[in-house]
Amino acid sequence: MYKDFFGFVELPFSIVPNSRYLYLSPRHQEAIRHLQSGLGEGGGFAMLTGEVGTGKTTIARTMLKSLDENTRAGLILNPTFSSIELLQAICDEFNVAYQASDSLKVLNHALYQFLLDNHTRGLQTLLVIDEAQHLAAEVLEQLRLLTNLETDSRKLLKVLLIGQPELQQKLQMPQLRQLAQRITGRYHLLPLSVDDTIKYIEFRLERAGGDVGLLSAKSMKYIAQQTQGIPRLVNLVCDATFNDAYAKGEQKPSHDTVIAACQHVMSFQTSFNLTPNTQKTQLDRRWIGALSILLGTGLAFAAYVWTPSAVEPYAKQYAEQHYPQQQKPAVEVTKVPKELLNIMSSGRLLEQGISELYKVWGYDASVMDSFCHQDSESEFHCDHQSDGDLNQLKNLNIPALLALEVNGQPEYAVLYRLDGDKVELLFDQQRVELDRESLEQFWQGEYYYIWRSHWPKMLKPGMVSADVAELDQCLSTILGEPSTNSDHYDQQVKHKVELFQRWQKLYVDGIAGQRTLERLSLMTQVDAPLLLPRGEGHHVECSQGS
């Protein structure tokens, strides 16, 4: 063992959870704040998603440890239950007595009584379910039914769902629409940045009693790049590095040893690549295969299902992007940041960039999503602007896919953060920070963005529905007007719609039509990833749904 050889008091890179080695990066801290807000007064469900090994369970355990004495919490790991087994597991977690032969009705009643008793004693009940992507649709629906018990001000049971990105896809199923609407806090956890990965490695070395200089800055940056900032993979690579260095008798692991350890560990990770050359080759292979399948599926779909009038707009869009009639003049770049050129490879398709933009929201894009296709059945809308600027994006305050032109080659990168004169771009899961002036050298204002719509296509005077109540609540929040707490589209609601239309320079008719609701949706995106720190920008949060 290398522990004594390098002077560690304990192994620094064990993958076994240890509270002493809890490192909360800015992203992890932001996730905790976001989820705590979503589970605040009135909230019923919150959801945390992220790729394997990014630290989702760490966040959950940290939140559970920070709960006050007025909250009673339970944690369910790796659930593969039927509906009745889920209720039994919840009863087991909270020590609620039941018989093995009890029906769903009996189990529900027992849990309802437990929740009411807790409420009477001033206790809030929180259930955390890890690996929730394994829950079947009918089991998730049973969980929603369990949260129906509520008072005038809050839910008696609050649920935090933790899972891989597939969980977001599952919640788009029609039968789970009601559950998706009840999620009041969402957060998608991205891997660590290069700087945060280096701090993470140094933190664990120091906690283990070792020298933080055992690994060179060059080696730590290499580890960050090869593991793409996944903490679990960082641990595996670092552990292999010190094992190999011990076997070689190196007082400090050499960079060659680090490279060899990365190759050994990452060769078993099918989603990752080892070197720039193999990365490009494997990416090419994956995209050739994916595009072959996509092309075949698209041709069959177009030939047998679509009418020519439906195909024409998408064919035109594709032709304009990939086979322009007149090549645009290349932007003369005098100072392209080296960091950006290092991660960009020529020929990245728009569809890849759109898919990465969806991942920032915590979703895996479908084939049609990746073409920025307007699907009336989807909860997302995709829009395109050809002549925008950073101030426009600052007002939108949501990530956008920028169409760049570097040395005459088209590239796409997600604008992920705006912070003063600095911008942060996301490209193929790698992040790079640069100043606005550098960005504007190779970005001419073209961008794509996605957003959620909260309402149907039109609401008008005389209508009575829960959508009208949500409309009134959001308009009241934005305009600083008192809410009527009514679901009737009366004169007061119409007056607020007219005020909003005047403010936004829309056609003023007092009818919440498509353009009005689109603008309102953009200003009040629920659980949206934001470009600016929360509290800055023009983003407004208002109560949506129950």
Side-chain angles (χ1 to χ4, degrees), residues 7 40 94 169 210 212 280 286 309 355 411 414 418 450 525 527:
F94 289 115
Q169 288 291 102
V212 295
K280 188 178 188 306
R286 287 204 301 271
S309 61
S355 295
E411 300 288 356
V414 174
L418 273 176
I450 58 176
Q525 288 292 281
D527 306 315

Side-chain angles (χ1 to χ4, degrees), residues 229-244:
I230 304 290
R232 188 177 299 165
L233 294 179
V234 173
N235 285 356
L236 290 173
V237 167
C238 288
D239 186 66
T241 295
F242 282 104
N243 263 320
D244 292 350

Side-chain angles (χ1 to χ4, degrees), residues 494-506:
K494 182 181 178 183
H495 175 67
K496 293 174 187 175
V497 171
E498 290 172 344
L499 286 177
F500 180 77
Q501 290 171 334
R502 290 193 186 96
W503 175 35
Q504 293 296 309
K505 297 181 174 59
L506 301 170

Side-chain angles (χ1 to χ4, degrees), residues 289-347:
L291 287 173
S292 298
I293 295 172
L294 177 62
L295 183 59
T297 304
L299 288 173
F301 188 64
Y304 294 102
V305 181
W306 283 5
T307 64
S309 61
V311 173
E312 184 179 356
Y314 307 112
K316 182 179 179 182
Q317 179 187 7
Y318 188 87
E320 289 175 349
Q321 291 166 352
H322 298 279
Y323 303 98
Q325 294 179 353
Q326 183 177 1
Q327 183 67 35
K328 294 180 180 179
V331 178
E332 291 187 7
V333 180
T334 58
K335 183 186 175 184
V336 178
K338 182 179 178 181
E339 300 91 340
L340 193 59
L341 288 177
N342 284 342
I343 66 172
M344 281 191 168
S345 59
S346 176

Side-chain angles (χ1 to χ4, degrees), residues 11-192:
L11 295 177
F13 296 104
S14 171
I15 61 173
V16 178
N18 185 334
S19 59
R20 271 182 28 83
Y21 289 86
L22 174 63
Y23 175 78
L24 293 179
S25 72
R27 289 281 295 169
H28 289 78
Q29 295 176 42
E30 184 181 32
I32 291 173
R33 290 193 299 270
H34 199 87
L35 294 173
Q36 287 175 335
S37 174
L39 289 169
E41 289 299 323
F45 280 90
M47 179 168 62
L48 173 65
T49 55
E51 296 292 345
V52 175
T54 49
K56 302 184 298 295
T57 304
T58 297
I59 287 176
R61 294 184 183 278
T62 302
M63 289 182 62
L64 290 175
K65 287 182 179 179
S66 67
L67 295 174
D68 58 36
E69 58 185 11
N70 294 322
T71 301
R72 187 168 180 184
L75 174 63
I76 294 179
L77 302 171
N78 301 320
T80 52
F81 302 129
S82 64
S83 294
I84 197 165
E85 288 171 339
L86 173 68
L87 296 188
Q88 290 173 342
I90 296 173
C91 286
D92 291 338
E93 188 65 21
F94 289 115
N95 297 318
V96 177
Y98 66 94
Q99 300 295 322
S101 59
D102 284 347
S103 65
L104 277 172
K105 180 179 179 181
V106 173
L107 290 169
N108 265 305
H109 180 74
L111 285 170
Y112 281 165
Q113 190 59 53
F114 165 75
L115 295 172
L116 283 171
D117 290 344
N118 278 354
H119 177 64
T120 302
R121 291 185 291 162
L123 298 176
Q124 176 67 67
T125 308
L126 171 65
L127 177 66
V128 179
I129 301 182
D130 201 1
E131 301 294 346
Q133 75 275 1
H134 295 308
L135 290 173
E138 60 270 18
V139 179
L140 284 166
E141 177 62 11
Q142 179 63 49
L143 192 61
R144 181 189 70 83
L145 295 174
L146 190 62
T147 64
N148 277 345
L149 192 61
E150 59 188 358
T151 67
D152 291 337
S153 60
R154 68 177 186 178
K155 301 285 186 181
L156 296 187
L157 175 65
K158 297 187 177 184
V159 180
L160 172 59
L161 299 174
I162 301 173
Q164 295 169 28
E166 305 91 271
L167 178 60
Q168 291 275 17
Q169 288 291 102
K170 182 169 286 186
L171 289 178
Q172 293 186 68
M173 298 170 65
Q175 60 266 46
L176 293 178
R177 185 178 180 185
Q178 292 188 68
L179 173 58
Q181 291 175 346
R182 291 193 179 192
I183 296 177
T184 54
R186 299 174 190 248
Y187 196 89
H188 183 69
L189 186 63
L190 289 175
L192 300 174

